Amino acid sequence: MRINERVVRAGAAGTAVAATVPYLTLKVLWLTGHPVGAGDGAEMDKLWLLNLLTFGMDAIAVVLALSFVRPWGRRAPAGLVVFPMWVATGLLGTILVALPLFLLGNLVLGPEHRTVEEKPAQLGDWVFAVVYGGFTVQGLALITAFVLYARRRWAGLLRARIGDLPDSPTLTVQRVLACVAALFALGVAAARAYWSLGGTAGLPLALAEEYNRGIAVMDGVFAVMAVAVAVALPVLAFRVRPRRRLIVPLLVAWTAAGSLFGWGAWQVVAFGATTTRVPDLRHAVPGLMSLVQLAQVTTGLLVLIVGAMALTERAAARTTTVPVPAPGPGPAAAVPTPDVESPR
């Protein structure tokens, strides 16, 4: 029995919305001065701006989930859907990869012993379970709803081949930007892999002292994402193996670049908000870490620019004319053949 795709999409969107409730509830409590799950309310007050920002990010996820099932979501400009979903895929997709690896590491190696003194504002273990459990459900549900939404709105793109991307006048520019992005990505991969394997050069002293398995896993995932960008983007820009399906390298570049951009931007903001007034040099952010974070953001932006150029030009090229019989003598009439299904 075939499952109704609309029902699955609605269920996934509803699940994504429900999964945001615990996180949004915690954020509301913290923003209103109730440090639930934290040891020190004064310390939590210092994170007010970051809590407000993350509350807004999860609220955007709610709007995205609703756009995948409501009629106005099909009429919304593509950019208003694609950009926030690209960032959400990068942020949540990274957690979906890193969390199982972290849990597997704990299962094989045992729980990690704390080597630093407990901080008064440290969150309870149950908070991490609630937050990252919610992110896991939210990520799976939101990505599922988006995939089903994209199958209806951009069906032609999902069936396309790499060679279907047009040889446009901007192709040379796209290839140059792709090569620059690949170089930035390889630099990010080298730095993140070095930190993941235990290197401490370029890390703030406080972070180096508190570096743990969870951070190492995240750095390792960032390194893999950076390598994925360096491979997938040139495949698209140089039309490598043009008869292959476009969707595979496109999804790899989409997810990996979203991860680098989303997490790089978040770390730039987070470190900037918490180190505006550095209490001591142990918390100062060295130039190397800042450069890596900026390189991640730059890589993501370059991928976004190349993708926008290629897909916009492809959409324009697809709006070609197809001859149809004219009613009577004379040349055949022509009708546009858009790459998008009509909303129903």
Side-chain angles (χ1 to χ4, degrees):
M1 180 179 178
R2 183 179 179 183
I3 301 176
N4 190 305
E5 184 176 295
R6 181 177 297 181
V7 173
V8 176
R9 180 156 43 97
T15 301
V17 172
T20 66
V21 172
Y23 186 77
L24 291 176
T25 301
L26 278 174
K27 291 298 178 177
V28 170
L29 290 171
W30 293 344
L31 288 169
T32 55
H34 301 82
V36 177
D40 188 346
E43 291 294 324
M44 286 299 297
D45 288 341
K46 297 178 182 178
L47 302 176
W48 192 87
L49 180 60
L50 291 182
N51 285 329
L52 180 63
L53 178 61
T54 49
F55 176 87
M57 291 165 63
D58 226 34
I60 291 174
V62 172
V63 177
L64 273 176
L66 294 177
S67 73
F68 299 150
V69 293
R70 303 303 303 165
W72 54 265
R74 293 288 302 280
R75 298 189 298 268
L80 292 180
V81 177
V82 170
F83 179 75
M85 189 60 208
W86 174 60
V87 177
T89 302
L91 292 172
L92 295 172
T94 300
I95 293 174
L96 291 177
V97 175
L99 186 58
L101 294 175
F102 173 72
L103 295 176
L104 180 62
N106 284 347
L107 181 64
V108 174
L109 303 175
E112 194 169 18
H113 298 292
R114 300 185 187 276
T115 58
V116 294
E117 185 179 351
E118 293 280 349
K119 294 183 178 180
Q122 189 165 11
L123 300 177
D125 291 338
W126 69 267
V127 175
F128 287 97
V130 169
V131 169
Y132 285 96
F135 283 160
T136 300
V137 175
Q138 181 183 340
L140 291 172
L142 192 65
I143 292 172
T144 298
F146 176 67
V147 169
L148 296 176
Y149 168 89
R151 284 181 59 183
R152 286 184 57 83
R153 184 163 183 176
W154 299 295
L157 178 64
L158 301 185
R159 294 192 298 264
R161 307 284 175 178
I162 294 175
D164 292 338
L165 294 172
D167 291 329
S168 66
T170 66
L171 185 57
T172 300
V173 176
Q174 293 177 33
R175 288 175 172 172
V176 170
L177 294 179
C179 290
V180 174
L183 290 175
F184 274 113
L186 291 176
V188 171
R192 292 293 184 179
Y194 166 73
W195 290 330
S196 179
L197 295 174
T200 58
L203 294 177
L205 292 177
L207 179 59
E209 293 173 359
E210 301 170 9
Y211 200 83
N212 55 42
R213 189 179 298 156
I215 302 175
V217 169
M218 288 293 286
D219 278 332
V221 172
F222 292 146
V224 172
M225 292 291 187
V227 172
V229 168
V231 173
L233 187 60
V235 166
L236 296 171
F238 289 90
R239 312 296 193 259
V240 179
R241 306 186 75 176
R243 296 180 64 83
R244 291 284 185 177
R245 293 284 297 274
L246 174 67
I247 189 64
V248 175
L250 182 62
L251 283 180
V252 172
W254 163 279
T255 305
S259 173
L260 295 183
F261 176 84
W263 284 98
W266 167 248
Q267 289 175 352
V268 168
V269 172
F271 277 105
T274 56
T275 59
T276 302
R277 299 177 62 185
V278 180
D280 59 66
L281 291 178
R282 293 175 63 255
H283 295 84
V285 180
L288 178 59
M289 171 167 272
S290 299
L291 286 176
V292 171
Q293 293 165 353
L294 291 175
Q296 288 184 214
V297 175
T298 302
T299 300
L301 287 176
L302 290 174
V303 174
L304 183 65
I305 292 170
V306 172
M309 293 171 68
L311 296 180
T312 299
E313 290 171 349
R314 179 181 182 275
R318 289 283 295 181
T319 312
T320 54
T321 57
V322 176
V324 297
V335 295
T337 58
D339 194 27
V340 180
E341 293 185 2
S342 60
R344 290 194 295 269

